[in-house]
Amino acid sequence: MKFVTLSATLTALLCSTSPVLAQSPGDDGSAQARARETVAAMRPEEKTVLTHGIMALPLGPGMVMPEDAVPGAGYIPGIARLGIAPLKETDASLGVSYAAGLRKDNSTALPSGLSMASSWNPQLIEEGGRMIGSEARAKGFNVMLAGGVNLMRDPRNGRNFEYLGEDPLLAGTLVGHAIRGVQSNNIISTIKHIALNGQETGRHFVDVQISEANARESDLLAFQIGIEIGQPGSVMCAYNRVLGEQACASDWLLNKVLKQDWGFKGFVMSDWGAVPDLNAAMKGLDQQSGEQLDTEVFFGDKLAAAAARDPAWAKRLDDMNTRILTAYYAAGLDKNPVAPGGRIDFEANAKVAQEVAAQGIVLLRNERDALPLAKTARNILVVGGLATTGVMSGAGSSQVIGEGGPAASIPLGGTGPFASFANIAYHRSSPFAAMEKMAPEAKLRFRTGRSVSEAAAAAKTADVVIVFANQWSGEGFDQADLALPEGQDALIAAVAAANPNTIVVLQTGGPVLMPWLESTAAVVQAWYPGIRGGEAIASVLFGETNPSGHLPITFPASEADLPRPVLDGFDRLEPDFIGRKPAGAAPLTANYDIEGSDLGYRWNARQGHKALFPFGFGLSYSRFETSQLKMKGLSATFTVKNSGKVKGATVAQLYMTANPAGPQQRLAGFKRVELEPGASQTVTVSIDPRIVAEYVGNGWEIAPGSYSFALGENAEQLGTPVKAVLPARKIKP
Ligand code: BGC
C-alpha cells in the first residue's frame, strides 16, 4: 500500500484556495463556464428537466420506468439536444446497492463504514471508493450516492454502520478520500446527509436543536473537510429538521454554510422523500430526488411556472441548472459516457474488500496471547452467528448483495409496505469455511448457539471456543439498547464459564455492551466485514493478518453515560422506514447542545466517564511505541517504533488535550504506520487549524496562548503533554 504523508495531504488541502469543485476529475477549471453556456442555450421547457426525477424502481402499478433507466435509486432525464445524458443514480457508500433485488447482477460489498474507518487509512478507503465507483460505472450508473458521513452522536443510531465514526477530522478525511476514489471513475459522488442526521427514529421530522458553533465544530466540520478533499459533485441533504427547518429547505445549511461560506459550486440533491415544498428551491435545494416519495412533484411544472412569472425564480432556476451541469462537466460525464455491461473484475474487487475488512478488524482483548491461534490448534468449537453460512450485512438503501444473492436472508416479518425489506442478509463468505481452509490440520466443530446448554456442553470438550455474536442494524430503525440481541450475552457467558479459552467475534453495526468481557480470552470486533469478511476474520484469528484496526467510535460503558440515556422519541414512536409524522403526534426535538461538539470520547473526557473501549483503541500481535513528541506551531513530529516481534501496523494518534481556556480533548492528527519488527519511523503531522480553533461569531478563531498536545494509544491513554504557544488567528468559516 502506498502512503502519502498526512502532512502532505493536509498541507495541500490547507494551501488550496481553489473553489470547491475546481479540482474534480476531468475538470480543467472551466466546468462552471461550460455549464453557464449550456444553461444560456436552454429553452424554457428544458429548464426543469434536470431539477427533478424519480426513484428508479417500479414502485406501483402506475409507474412506468424510462426505457434507458437502470433499476437503482434514481433517474433524472437528460436533454439530448444539448448533449446532456440522463443522470442514473445508485446507492451507496458500501458498493452498488441491491435495489431490492431488481437487478440480479453481482456487486462487491465493501465492509461497513465503521470497518473502513477502523483502518484509519485514507489511501485504502480511496481504493475502496475507486473500486465501488468502477462497478457503478460498469453497470451504467453515473451518480453514486456515496459519501455517508453523519457523525455518531448516538451509538444506537441504526445507520451508524454506514458512516465513519464520531470524530470530524477522521470521518471528514476518510470520506473525502472515499469520494475521490468514486469520482476517479468520471462519475459524480454525493456526500450525505447534510446535516445532523443523527437518529432514525422519527427521522423525517425530528427537529435538531444545536448552536451554530457546536454544529460547525462537529458534524459540519466533517462535511467541510470531506468536501475539500473529495470535491463531490453533489451534496445530499438530510431527512431531519435543523433548527425548525427541514434540512432540505434550510437556508442556513444550504445557502449560507454550504454555498456561501464553503464556496460549494456543485448541486444539492434531496434525500428521497425529503422535500417539503417548492420554496425549498429558494432555500438552496437544487434537485428533487425520488419524487414519488414526496407529497408532490415541486421541482417540475410548479417550478417552471414560478420561473415564468418571477425573475427571482427564473434566476434561481438558472443557478440550479448551472450547479447540476457544473458537477456534470467537472466529473467529465460528457466526455466519458456510461453504458451498462462494462467488464468487472470481481476477483480483484473482492481482494480490495478483503483488505479493507482485514485492516478494519479491531482486536479488543487478547488475554494470555490467546490469539493468534496456532494453525495446528486441535479441537476448535465454533458457536453461533451463522458462522458456517456467511457474514452479516447491514440493511437499507446501502445494502449490497453479491453474486447468487445472499447466503441467507432471514425475514423478520411485520406489517406495512416496507415489511418485506426487513431481512437480515448474510454475505456468502463463511468464517467457518475460511478457518477450515486456513488451518486444515485443526479439527473444527460447529454449534448453532440456539441452545445455550448444548453450546456450553460442547465448549467443555474443546481446546478453544470461538463464539460469533451478531447485532443487525439498518436504515429506518434504531437499536433499542446496546445489548447483543437474541440471548447472545447469555450464550457467551455460559460458554465462557464452560471454557476459559473463549474468543468472541463480534459482527455489529456499532458499539455493544459486554457484560461477559472479563470471562473471555479474546474479543475481535469485525463489524459487518463485507463480501470477503469470513476470510478476513480467519486471517486475523490465525495470525496471517496482524490486526491494526483502531476504534473510530467510543464503546460506552453504559447507556447511562450517554448524553441521551433514552434516544429521543424511541419510547413513543413506531419504527417506520418512510417515517412520516403520525397524525396528531407531538413534535419531536433532539437537543444536540447537550454534548454540543463533544461527541463520544470528548463527551466522556468532559464528563469524566471511562469507556468500555475508548475511541482509538486497538491491539496488535506486535507492540508499538510512539515517543519524542515535538511541537513547532501546528506541526508535530514524533517517532513510531515496532518494538514487538512481528511486522504490523499501528495508528499514531495526536490529541490536543488543553487550550488556553483549560482541558479540551480533540483528535488533532493521525497516521497509520506499517513497520517491520524493530523498525521505527519519524512522522510529521500538520494540524488543521480548525481543529484547535473555536467557532466564534462568523468564523474560526485561535485564541493566543498555550495549547497542550499528547500522543495517545487511544483517547484515554495519553502520553506526556507537550506545549505549543500559538498566536491569535482568524480563519474563514
Ligand atoms: C436514504 C439515502 C439514499 C436514498 C436513495 C434514502 O432513504 O436516506 O441515503 O441514498 O434513500 O435510495
Side-chain angles (χ1 to χ4, degrees):
M1 190 59 50
K2 198 169 125 264
F3 288 108
V4 175
T5 64
L6 177 79
S7 53
T9 314
L10 276 185
T11 310
L13 160 66
L14 294 171
C15 294
S16 144
T17 49
S18 357
V20 174
L21 259 195
Q23 296 168 335
S24 296
D27 182 18
D28 55 7
S30 63
Q32 196 183 43
R34 290 190 62 200
R36 287 204 175 109
E37 274 168 32
T38 308
V39 174
M42 277 180 166
R43 295 172 182 153
E45 69 276 13
E46 287 169 339
K47 291 197 175 173
T48 49
V49 173
L50 303 178
T51 51
H52 67 108
I54 54 164
M55 182 166 205
L57 296 176
L59 286 181
M63 156 106 198
V64 183
M65 287 268 282
E67 244 172 49
D68 62 340
V70 188
Y75 178 90
I76 311 280
I79 308 173
R81 188 183 75 82
L82 298 172
I84 302 163
L87 297 180
K88 299 179 185 176
E89 302 167 330
T90 177
D91 283 302
S93 308
L94 314 180
V96 180
S97 70
Y98 193 45
L102 284 163
R103 281 191 345 273
K104 298 286 177 219
D105 52 354
N106 188 14
S107 301
T108 304
L110 279 173
S112 65
L114 286 176
S115 165
M116 294 193 230
S118 298
S119 75
W120 297 55
N121 186 343
Q123 280 65 46
L124 181 68
I125 300 315
E126 188 164 328
E127 189 57 36
R130 187 173 300 123
M131 183 276 280
I132 60 171
S134 74
E135 292 196 356
R137 160 167 279 279
K139 290 170 193 293
F141 294 108
N142 52 15
V143 180
M144 196 162 204
L145 310 175
V149 72
N150 294 103
L151 293 187
M152 187 180 95
R153 277 187 182 264
D154 196 298
R156 294 158 297 199
N157 175 10
R159 293 185 85 174
N160 284 334
F161 77 94
E162 286 185 54
Y163 308 140
L164 298 162
E166 68 189 27
D167 182 78
L169 176 67
L170 178 62
T173 306
L174 295 180
V175 83
H177 282 270
I179 292 164
R180 218 186 243 182
V182 170
Q183 293 199 152
S184 68
N185 296 284
N186 290 117
I187 62 172
I188 292 172
S189 174
T190 52
I191 188 170
K192 68 187 187 184
H193 315 80
I194 198 163
L196 298 150
N197 195 174
Q199 65 178 67
E200 290 298 281
T201 303
R203 67 173 175 168
H204 279 255
F205 53 93
V206 59
D207 186 8
V208 169
Q209 299 297 314
I210 189 165
S211 75
E212 170 149 16
N214 281 336
R216 295 267 196 173
E217 290 172 15
S218 57
D219 302 58
L220 292 180
L221 183 54
F223 276 94
Q224 191 175 7
I225 294 173
I227 290 171
E228 287 163 348
I229 297 176
Q231 305 266 318
S234 183
V235 174
M236 188 191 294
C237 50
Y239 279 133
N240 52 285
R241 288 169 180 263
V242 176
L243 301 170
E245 302 292 345
Q246 292 295 151
C248 285
S250 164
D251 184 58
W252 173 65
L253 264 183
L254 307 182
N255 281 334
K256 170 83 173 63
V257 174
L258 176 67
K259 294 181 176 176
Q260 186 185 316
D261 292 346
W262 300 349
F264 179 67
K265 303 278 185 292
F267 68 104
V268 180
M269 70 166 73
S270 73
D271 201 341
W272 274 230
V275 186
D277 53 29
L278 173 61
N279 210 32
M282 281 305 193
K283 305 289 179 68
L285 180 64
D286 299 302
Q287 191 178 68
Q288 180 178 11
S289 321
E291 62 196 17
Q292 310 98 308
L293 302 184
D294 285 316
T295 51
E296 272 181 67
V297 178
F298 300 109
F299 284 22
D301 294 347
K302 281 196 154 184
L303 179 60
R309 70 168 179 262
D310 183 338
W313 278 87
K315 191 166 166 235
R316 173 70 188 114
L317 181 55
D318 281 356
D319 178 49
M320 293 159 80
N321 279 295
T322 305
R323 287 174 168 282
I324 296 165
L325 289 172
T326 299
Y328 184 90
Y329 293 127
L333 296 195
D334 54 331
K335 298 188 188 115
N336 304 278
V338 293
R343 206 188 71 83
I344 297 175
D345 186 344
F346 287 111
E347 191 47 39
N349 291 355
K351 284 195 181 127
V352 175
Q354 184 171 340
E355 183 59 24
V356 175
Q359 290 195 24
I361 288 173
V362 185
L363 181 61
L364 292 176
R365 179 178 169 90
N366 196 13
E367 296 297 292
R368 309 177 302 276
D369 290 334
L371 290 175
L373 298 171
K375 289 201 174 160
T376 50
R378 298 266 147 206
N379 207 349
I380 301 174
L381 176 72
V382 176
V383 175
L386 260 68
T388 52
T389 304
V391 288
M392 185 173 255
S393 65
S397 58
S398 69
Q399 175 83 63
V400 180
I401 298 288
E403 192 162 21
S409 179
I410 303 162
L412 294 186
T415 56
F418 281 88
S420 61
F421 293 101
N423 299 310
I424 305 180
Y426 282 74
H427 291 307
R428 292 172 183 267
S429 173
S430 150
F432 187 89
M435 288 166 68
E436 274 189 319
K437 200 166 158 202
M438 198 159 286
E441 289 171 45
K443 182 181 158 232
L444 270 82
R445 291 179 294 153
F446 180 69
R447 293 289 184 275
T448 62
R450 289 185 63 239
S451 155
V452 172
S453 38
E454 180 201 47
K460 285 199 175 125
T461 64
D463 296 332
V464 180
V465 190
I466 304 176
V467 186
F468 282 78
N470 301 347
Q471 175 219 42
W472 183 66
S473 60
E475 184 176 338
F477 66 96
D478 296 312
Q479 299 296 330
D481 53 35
L482 297 179
L484 282 169
E486 293 164 4
Q488 294 174 101
D489 281 330
L491 173 69
I492 298 169
V495 168
N499 190 323
N501 294 325
T502 292
I503 293 158
V504 178
V505 178
L506 293 168
Q507 294 176 62
T508 66
V512 287
L513 303 175
M514 304 179 202
W516 32 260
L517 183 66
E518 294 303 323
S519 59
T520 61
V523 179
V524 174
Q525 174 56 262
W527 312 107
Y528 301 147
I531 193 66
R532 285 278 169 87
E535 288 78 1
I537 291 169
S539 79
V540 164
L541 293 175
F542 286 102
E544 290 205 352
T545 295
N546 186 355
S548 61
H550 286 69
L551 294 178
I553 51 174
T554 304
F555 276 47
S558 119
E559 281 133 18
D561 287 353
L562 298 174
R564 281 165 288 282
V566 177
L567 194 132
D568 291 305
F570 194 83
D571 44 357
R572 63 182 171 89
L573 289 166
E574 289 289 313
D576 180 355
F577 196 81
I578 292 287
R580 298 218 183 287
K581 186 158 167 281
L588 177 64
T589 53
N591 179 7
Y592 287 177
D593 278 327
I594 297 175
E595 72 279 23
S597 61
D598 290 329
L599 277 61
Y601 68 94
R602 287 165 52 168
W603 168 256
N604 272 5
R606 191 168 110 186
Q607 301 296 110
H609 296 321
K610 286 268 167 268
L612 176 63
F613 289 103
F615 175 85
F617 185 91
L619 303 174
S620 163
Y621 296 150
S622 199
R623 278 190 301 120
F624 293 90
E625 287 158 22
T626 50
S627 61
Q628 296 170 48
L629 173 62
K630 291 188 191 65
M631 297 297 305
K632 200 169 165 212
L634 284 176
S635 176
T637 304
F638 52 88
T639 306
V640 185
K641 181 167 190 218
N642 181 349
S643 49
K645 293 199 176 61
V646 280
K647 184 182 168 181
T650 190
V651 175
Q653 301 160 40
L654 179 73
Y655 292 89
M656 179 182 98
T657 56
N659 61 19
Q664 169 69 257
Q665 190 172 3
R666 294 176 188 174
L667 179 72
F670 62 90
K671 173 105 172 84
R672 183 178 189 276
V673 186
E674 256 181 8
L675 290 169
E676 296 290 335
S680 58
Q681 190 180 316
T682 303
V683 175
T684 300
V685 163
S686 291
I687 300 169
D688 185 324
R690 292 168 295 194
I691 298 298
V692 299
E694 304 288 320
Y695 198 88
V696 186
N698 261 334
W700 302 93
E701 281 185 25
I702 298 185
S706 175
Y707 290 73
S708 297
F709 295 89
L711 294 166
E713 288 291 304
N714 55 63
E716 286 184 9
Q717 219 180 326
L718 301 169
T720 314
V722 173
K723 287 196 188 324
V725 175
L726 302 178
R729 180 167 166 193
K730 284 192 195 297
I731 303 148
K732 74 167 197 59

